[in-house]
Amino acid sequence: RAEAALHAAISATKLGRLDVAETYLKFVLENPGMESARPDAQIALMENYYAAKKYKEVLGIYKKSTLKAEGEKEAVRLMVAARAMLQLNQVSEASKLFHEIERTVPPENDLAFQASYYRLNCFFQIEGTYVTEQVDAFLQIYAKSRPNDARIHTALLIKAETLFSQNKIPAAAEVYAKIDPELLSESNRPGFLYQRGWCLAEAGDNQGSIRSLSEFVTEYPKDERIYQALVKRAKCYVETGDTAKAIVDYDLIAAAAKAPADLASLAWLESARARR
């Protein structure tokens, strides 16, 4: 009966009949004699709740049952619970579960990789002091086997931004150079181009800064940092002796109705200076 109910629930889920699936899964979880099928039923119900964005219900099911699965199945159970915790901003609790997943399955397992990546992000949110060391440990395990994975390059981005915030400009510039922007998510790409351009300018690589900021200006003209990017690019143009292009950028800022007042006044001044 437990096996039949479990497969009926799986079929109902595939048909989009989640209420029917929930009924059968709870049948397995609540009736005596069905203990062997409960880990599967628990995982299935948690996944259905997660897909429906019912994150509190996910954790309710997770905490209600004391039965654990084994190996990879247990890692899946912990992963669903930990991701629900992240959605509810329970970052510290999620980090502990991700660490438990890493201990449950071998490093070459994709679940271990995912857990390590999520835990790195948790660490970044909770404590910034040792972020670079955490990134290095993550890369030491996974960078060689997954060089083109987006999460590897996002981890590098976390390290670069951390170094830049600590004013370790040359070190940050070196890490930025290792990141392939095509492998970053669309949400991370504008920040990467902007921060990399700013960092390279501070490191003295004006041409590299111009290239990065030009990509940012071209691809994200409505970003709120557009005027700061134009100012920084204009200064790099001046440093490289391309005064005419610097004037173009300063005039764009001065003529923009939405430009912050301090940047507009700076643009007028620097445009006049460049013309002189």
Side-chain angles (χ1 to χ4, degrees):
R1 293 172 69 213
E3 186 178 357
L6 186 60
H7 285 287
I10 293 170
S11 297
T13 299
K14 291 179 179 178
L15 292 169
R17 298 169 63 183
L18 299 184
D19 55 335
V20 175
E22 183 177 356
T23 298
Y24 281 121
L25 292 171
K26 285 185 175 179
F27 175 80
V28 177
L29 291 172
E30 295 169 0
N31 281 281
M34 299 186 178
E35 287 78 9
S36 62
R38 282 183 184 169
D40 287 325
Q42 184 189 33
I43 292 169
L45 187 55
M46 288 168 62
E47 288 178 334
N48 285 357
Y49 280 147
Y50 188 91
K53 298 184 179 180
K54 296 180 178 180
Y55 306 120
K56 290 183 179 179
E57 286 83 348
V58 172
L59 296 184
I61 294 297
Y62 168 72
K63 293 175 181 178
K64 187 175 181 179
S65 176
T66 57
L67 289 174
K68 291 186 177 183
E70 294 182 2
E72 188 169 321
K73 191 176 291 186
E74 174 64 5
V76 172
R77 189 179 79 95
L78 295 172
M79 179 67 75
V80 180
R83 292 185 66 189
M85 288 175 178
L86 283 185
Q87 295 291 341
L88 296 171
N89 203 33
Q90 299 175 12
V91 181
S92 180
E93 294 86 343
S95 180
K96 293 175 184 176
L97 288 192
F98 289 132
H99 189 46
E100 190 172 340
I101 294 168
E102 291 180 82
R103 293 194 299 238
T104 303
V105 290
E108 58 270 17
N109 189 296
D110 193 60
L111 286 167
F113 174 58
Q114 290 182 51
S116 183
Y117 173 74
Y118 280 125
R119 190 164 69 88
L120 179 62
N121 278 273
C122 291
F123 197 86
F124 183 56
Q125 293 180 55
I126 297 169
E127 173 62 66
T129 308
Y130 299 104
V131 170
T132 55
E133 290 83 354
Q134 291 289 324
V135 173
D136 287 341
F138 173 75
L139 294 175
Q140 186 175 2
I141 299 172
Y142 296 110
K144 288 184 179 179
S145 60
R146 303 169 185 259
N148 297 319
D149 192 291
R151 287 163 289 190
I152 294 295
H153 292 262
T154 304
L156 286 168
L157 180 60
I158 290 173
K159 181 178 180 179
E161 289 183 349
T162 301
L163 290 169
F164 187 65
S165 68
Q166 295 171 348
N167 204 34
K168 298 177 180 179
I169 306 301
E174 185 177 339
V175 178
Y176 273 121
K178 298 177 182 177
I179 301 171
D180 184 347
E182 299 301 321
L183 296 176
L184 296 177
S185 67
E186 185 55 33
S187 60
N188 282 328
R189 184 174 164 78
F192 161 73
L193 292 173
Y194 176 81
Q195 286 282 85
R196 182 181 66 174
W198 200 275
C199 179
L200 292 176
E202 295 297 309
D205 184 0
N206 291 305
Q207 292 293 353
S209 176
I210 290 169
R211 286 192 296 271
S212 192
L213 292 174
S214 294
E215 280 189 68
F216 174 78
V217 169
T218 301
E219 295 183 25
Y220 306 100
K222 295 182 179 180
D223 191 285
E224 61 182 9
R225 297 164 291 189
I226 190 70
Y227 302 110
Q228 289 90 338
L230 287 170
V231 165
K232 200 67 174 177
R233 186 174 72 171
K235 289 181 178 179
C236 289
Y237 280 138
V238 170
E239 290 293 325
T240 58
D242 203 339
T243 310
K245 289 184 178 179
I247 291 172
V248 171
D249 277 354
Y250 284 133
D251 288 355
L252 282 172
I253 300 166
K258 294 183 179 180
D262 58 331
L263 294 183
S265 61
L266 174 66
W268 281 112
L269 176 63
E270 294 301 328
S271 178
R273 193 192 310 276
R275 282 180 162 83
R276 183 189 67 182

